[in-house]
Amino acid sequence: MPDEPPGKVRQHPMRLLLPTMREPDPAQHKPASPAEHLYAELQVTSNFTFLTGASHPDELVRQAAALGHCAIAITDTNTLAGVVRAHVAAKDTGIQLLIGCRLVFTDPAQPSVLVYPTDLAAYGRLCRLLTVGKRRAPKGECHLTLDDLLAHQQGLIAVVLLPNPSASTPTDRSSARTLEALNELRRAFDDDRLSLALSIHHRHDDADRVQRTASFGSNLRIPLAVTNDVHYHTPERRTLQDILTCIRHGCTLEQAGFRLHPNAERSLKPPAEMHRLFREHAAALARTPLIAQRCKGFTLDQLRYNYPDEVVPPGVASMDHLRALTASGAAERYPDGVPSDVQSQINHELGLIAELNYAPYFLTVHDLVRFARSKSILCQGRGAAANSAVCFCLGVTAVDPSRSTMLFERFISKERDEPPDIDIDFEHERREEVIQYLYAKYTRDRAALTAEVVSYRGRSAVRDVGKAMGLSLDTVDALAREVDWWSQSPNDPHKLTAIGLNPRDPHLRSVLVHACTLMGFPRHLSQHVGGFVITRTPLCELVPIENAAMEDRTVIEWDKDDIEALGMLKIDVLGLGMLTCLRKCMDLIADSDGQRLTLATIPSEDPATYDMICAADTLGVFQIESRAQMSMLPRLRPRRYYDLVIEVAIVRPGPIQGKMVHPYIRRRNGEEPVLFASPEIERVLGRTLGVPLFQEQCMALAVAAAGFTPGEADQLRRAMAAWKRSGQALLKFERKLIDGMSERGYSAEFAGQVFQQISGFSGYGFPESHAASFAILVYASCWLKRHKPAAFATALLNSQPMGFYQPAQIVQDAQRHGVEVRPIDVNHSDWDCTLETSIGEGGGGGDAGSRQDGERAHGTAKHAIRLGMRLVTGLSEAHALALVVAVRRLKVSPDGPGPVPGTGPGPGTVRSLEGLWRATSDTVPIVALRHLARADAFGSMGLSRQAALWSLQRLHDEPMPLFDQRIDEQAGREDRASAAVLPLPTPFAEVQADYARAKLSLRAHPLSFLRDELEQAGVTPCATVNEPEQCPAGRQVSVAGLVLVRQRPGTASGVVFITIEDETGIANLVLFAKVFERFRSVARHSSAIVCTGRIERAGQVVHIKAQRLRTLEMRASDISLKSRDFH
Amino acid sequence: MWPIDRVRRRLLHKDPLPEALLREQTLSRAVTNTSLPTRPQPTHTPILLTHIDRDRTLIAACCERARSAGIVHAMPLAEARALLRQAPHVEPFSPDADARGLIRLARWAYRYVPRVAIDGTDGLLLDATGCERMYAGIDRLLRVLAGKLVRAGIGIRLAAAPTFGAAWAVAHFGSHNLTLVRQPELATVLGGLPIAALRLSALTLDALRAVGVERISELRALPRASIAARYGSETLLRLDQAMGSAIESIDAVQPKWPIRVERLFDGPTDRLDSITLAANGLVEMLATELTAKHRGTLSLRVELIRSDLEPVFILIRTSRPCAEPRHIWKLLAPKIENAHLGFGVEGVRLLVLCSGQLRDTQGKCWADDEAHPPERSRLLDTLAARLMPERVLRPMLLESHVPERAVALRPALSLPAIAPPAFGPTALGLQTNKPLRPAHHKRPNPLSPTSTAPGYPGMLERPTSLLSEPLPITVTLLLPDGPLVMFGSASRGGASHRVIACHGPERIAGEWWRHSASSPTRTVTMQCESGGAVATARTRERDYFRVQTDDGRWVWIFRESALKTQSAQNGPAGSSDRWFIHGEWA
């Protein structure tokens, strides 16, 4: 039901989880060690070296700070992906963080090198070096050589890791090459910047290794530096590290053998312990703080984000340019003069933009929108900043500030220095053009997509841990499937017992404990759906850029939280199917009626459109087409734009779980008084009748009623988003909220209620700013459906797959609204569905209800939908287009194959199958024609499906040597003669064949053939269920139908909603979890079902509460096609 | 469902499939009265066969009971389990084993008809031409076959018809489990069946159904030329084969007869020498027969048929295919000598239960190159024959950081050949090293520098011999955490050793995932436990030191202490530390 809100509602929980869950207990640790025990850990592998490090970067940093290290480096293998998280933690704790990286070269003989930049320029070079390595490798890999490092070495400090001699027996050859590499490094980095890593891990060969390293150092005159090759922040994580090693190698712990580390020594050790271990290597110890000291010249805070400047004409200040564009845009939007309140809002916004220096950002967005317009790609911005008056003038959004009564409170928040937030939706089929435009305009060095850190979630974690710990695949399956990983206690003994596992089994408990720790570990980097980072200076000097799995995409290593932490800006370039549909629809209208509509010119606040919405006649429109939305519409009865904004936001898990839906409806219908506890609250909740429905309102409520600072309110928002992963974070705010409210004189009861509402938003709350943009599209699609039903249905069919409904329902819906739908036909169909002028008046228009008829009569010309070949299963677009071209050529060419006498129904059509086949045999395989024949697309040639297939079956891809009309004619006679022997298909079989090939039939509904049979079985038609006289609430009925939609909303505690359809209409089934479990296979797999249950009514909404289900056998004939099983 | 039937039979009788059927005619008098088991008890356990597809365990086949519970093909196993009230029997679907079983069933069928062929994965084609007389009518043959198979627990659909095609069609699509179609009614019966009964390709079937042709009669009504032009000549051929107007040949399974030799005496004898002589002669005969077939015996059953008593069965197993009479005799002779002859032996029979392809060998010249030379396998065979196979063990390398886990003893006959150094006289339990303490026997250590098996870190420093159980010692340290000065036996005082050199520590933390209690959910089996320190390995770690005593011996001692957690990391060696000696370098 509540579909996931598109866009950016989910927040990365990482920073949020930190203070509550992972803070090391200070009591455990000794205070910072005395000055003589100076030590900085230089070799640290975090979990961003995927499946190797067993601690989060921030855990490592916090632990190092707690142990009293003077500094810590994060050196993941060939990546900087984890450094921002470490940086944030380091800023919190005050420890110095060395940004670093462990460079592993493709040549195994070249020793790995740890590098640390000493200044901003060196950091830029390091990023560039990694970018070079990553761009030449497939996704997730980095191919580097020593020469690459030498080319970028300036300003870097390096620590060389000698290859482990015991890993493989060192041959003379490989050690000679190691020596050579060391010499080269020494030449490039003089001994001042180069060190040799010295570590002791209590392995059997420690003495040898230390000896060997020391002798290398003294022979080559490279000073030593102590490291501990840290893989986890406490020794307790060793077990998890072992598991990670197993996951990496795809083995179990039993099989892992020597791939595991023998002991737990790779943790962060207290400086005193390091000094004790290396008491004989004082110089090597002393070198670590020295290196840290020299890297003090660089922190991530120095990174400066620069807006691109191409968007400003040379010699013009960006702010002036923005002012000019806004002014000209405003003049265009308001030809009669800009209203004064809009003008004052524009001035206010421009002032803010100037103050915060965001002009280049708005200009960049404007440039993107301008490009899309020039390619006639439909787009619309959303988000708080997008719904500003400036953006309306710039054409970014169609939300007219003068038309709506909304207050945009969160345009840009000055106090929080929060960057403006604009997501732009483009047509989903053409978003790639926009993305490639960005890459082309700003080059790949300066523009890249944001990464998305794909992390272990409950199921994936238990799956991998379970496998590594040797659980059987079934057990792992059962654990992953049955255990509710989001609940507060995933290892609830009752649940384990329920799936047949022993909760006291130590091994199983160990699996669960490790799985819980693994949750949140990064697994790999993926690309964000559309977040672009664009810079003026090379982006690859800010952050390494790598190839994405998709071709032609490049991605930075940081995710949106990371770049937000560093104050970098991103623009979300998203794809939206409805925009594609709207554009296609407006194009169709322009072609057929000559009327050019845009989102802004669609007549606003049209009562007929709202009538249709109130009647829940919204199949196919944007957002409010789902079951849940449709059942809400008659209750909410939207009559104006803002009602749609609410409608979009209200049917979401957030408001539903916060139990805000019913209070709102009651207040709206006047069944409950609208009361406000105080004027502050009325200011916040006034327009939603005192019920918080939007995410912004929750935050504003916290500020207004509980005295939160805007910063705290923002944390609250993040806590709400991340609640499922860390309930504790939200609980922390509960105290504060309730205390704050009682201080301000609100009753404790009211405070509890407010908190209840806010925590309800933890699922998904929908921001008002996004709902406002969506509501525009909702209105536009409804208007088109109401006034241009043929064009709208055609555009919808051409934008599939999209939305909730199948082509069959869209077509039926169009037919119900009096639109003539014509079958697929080789002579008339294009690839896409098209509009044809309707010849007859009748055409089934009479049944569509009175209100449409009256209006359509004096409307524009009536159109019929010609179904396109895209509906034919198995047919490729290229073949269809070739066929369309050939048909057009044959129609005009005078010397085309002559008509077969007596069959063709009219002029201007191709009438011979052979002729078509000959004309297309080099471009279209016979299979494509057969696909069309199965879809019964040769009607205009006078061929039935059967006849066309029968004739086509004779033809093959090898062309006949000669064109001889007599042979063709003879063959045609033979075809007709032999086809006469074929058994005649029943109408039911024809309909089934239609469904098999085009997923719809214009003949009849398949269930109409079974009606007699069904009536005998006591099955009620779906339409009858809606009539209260015949089917009062509580009566037991049976209904049958094809399954249209199955939904199992996360908020409905296992309840499954199924919509079925018969020839009379649709029926809505509700399956409670028990019923669903009992009839699981029917409920999940059958395409046609018979359901027995009780009728439930709530207003106009009718459900059938299912009690029993069975599969409806849809047999065309009595013959069994399946072989019997041997039994 | 052939796969299910096969598995169910195995579960019920613990007998590989047609073995029970085979036994009936080929075994000796003494067992002939072991009648076939009557109709198998329907097991109450549902049977599920699974295969693994991209990390998911899916149902490949299931029994009737399971199907009636709603289990379908390709359903995930966990879901299937949820549908069943009781725990099912689950095992991996094995098409290979099914195919092998089917071949054996085909060979069994040779006793009724002259030619048998395999059809697909679950069918047999029997050519019963000319058998009518023998069984007084084909219908009787059908009943005989059906009776045998049903009693053997094999679900069947049997059909006999004038053509293979028609028999196949009726068996698969007919309405009865047992059908006999005679020539006159052939066309009528076939006509009513769906076209799928013609064994046509899915593509052709689909194309035919598309134009509305569903039944064979409808297909036959079409002009033959039109069919050929549209659906290929194969369609016509299949039609003709079913109707009998085209010949169909089958690819018959080769019958296979057991390799066996026997000799029956004129009357019972209790003279060992004549029995031995006969047996020896039979071994020679068997060897000749085996060599001719280029096979060697792996498992050989020798039966001494005794009068008025059950036969004596002697089982001879070899580690590799063997056709050498001398070697076989060497294994067999002592057993015959020990056999109880009862009232006398009437005959001797040798039956090869399991054989393998003989491998050509190069004779003496390069014999040394072989990892597993014939001499050694002969020795192994002899030892196994004398000592029982499970008593002949061989040390195996295991990958583990914990020293006592790095080696395990496994039955030698069941292991593949491995590199020589790990194999020696010690493998048989003989001791070569002088023990440090007589009370404890030592195991050779494959991880010592002498063993360089591939895949193992060659530099691991391990003593040449390891105590099977670490021996507690007392130590004297200079400081609580300082160098080691002296150690001595904890139990018997006295003899203490001064340390003159010490290397280490090498820290080995326990294998934390081994819990003392094993749980039913685990599939990993515990390695055989030895050594007292193991139970505590989970929470403790050991620091190993290589120390030289004042009398020049290098010994391996370790300190066991609680695993250092963060809180205790910086602390000195705790009082809970215990010291042990674990091995010595020779």
Side-chain angles (χ1 to χ4, degrees), chain B residues 33-184:
Chain B
N33 56 1
T34 317
S35 63
L36 273 176
T38 49
R39 181 181 291 273
Q41 300 296 315
T43 36
H44 291 292
T45 335
I47 298 174
L48 303 176
L49 302 185
T50 60
H51 71 277
I52 291 174
D53 177 33
R54 269 175 289 137
D55 279 3
R56 296 198 312 155
T57 313
L58 304 179
I59 303 294
C62 64
C63 68
E64 194 62 33
R65 257 179 78 87
R67 198 167 325 116
S68 63
I71 294 173
V72 292
H73 178 77
M75 180 185 267
L77 176 60
E79 197 175 314
R81 279 185 193 276
L83 288 174
L84 291 169
R85 292 244 168 73
Q86 73 190 108
H89 169 82
V90 181
E91 71 171 70
F93 176 54
S94 161
D96 289 348
D98 289 336
R100 282 197 302 273
L102 199 59
I103 289 179
R104 297 175 71 179
L105 192 64
R107 290 193 174 123
W108 167 81
Y110 262 106
R111 72 200 51 195
Y112 299 103
V113 295
R115 274 181 350 124
V116 183
I118 303 284
D119 173 65
T121 56
D122 58 356
L124 294 181
L125 294 174
L126 273 58
D127 182 358
T129 314
C131 298
E132 299 90 337
R133 288 288 179 98
M134 208 147 145
Y135 297 96
I138 287 294
D139 51 341
R140 210 174 143 247
L141 170 61
L142 277 185
R143 280 200 299 277
V144 168
L145 278 172
K148 296 270 185 209
L149 289 167
V150 168
R151 262 182 291 149
I154 300 170
I156 44 158
R157 288 180 57 84
L158 275 180
T163 63
F164 283 119
W168 194 95
V170 176
H172 284 80
F173 289 88
S175 45
H176 302 290
N177 280 353
L178 205 69
T179 321
L180 172 63
V181 181
R182 291 179 201 284
Q183 186 66 46

Side-chain angles (χ1 to χ4, degrees), chain A residues 167-244:
Chain A
S168 59
T169 18
T171 59
D172 289 345
R173 206 173 121 73
S174 72
S175 48
R177 292 186 55 193
T178 306
L179 201 64
E180 190 187 314
L182 278 173
N183 271 319
E184 270 183 65
L185 280 166
R186 219 190 84 74
R187 271 195 297 278
F189 298 78
D190 40 52
D191 63 351
D192 191 32
R193 288 195 290 137
L194 191 67
S195 320
L196 213 49
L198 180 73
S199 18
I200 294 178
H201 296 131
H202 290 305
R203 292 184 64 113
H204 62 93
D205 55 352
D206 276 345
D208 284 354
R209 246 169 351 98
V210 168
Q211 180 61 37
R212 191 165 150 255
T213 311
S215 71
F216 262 110
S218 61
N219 289 345
L220 296 168
R221 285 174 291 116
I222 305 175
L224 304 182
V226 166
T227 72
N228 194 35
D229 193 9
V230 168
H231 280 60
Y232 29 83
H233 68 295
T234 68
E236 286 84 354
R237 281 285 171 90
R238 170 213 172 208
T239 54
L240 185 64
Q241 210 269 330
D242 284 351
I243 289 174
L244 289 172

Side-chain angles (χ1 to χ4, degrees), chain A residues 258 474 505 946 950 975, chain B residues 81 211 230 399 401 507 519:
Chain A
F258 295 128
D474 305 353
D505 175 50
Q946 196 183 27
W950 183 247
D975 276 353
Chain B
R81 279 185 193 276
V211 296
R230 287 176 174 79
E399 272 200 40
H401 289 293
R507 185 162 294 169
S519 84

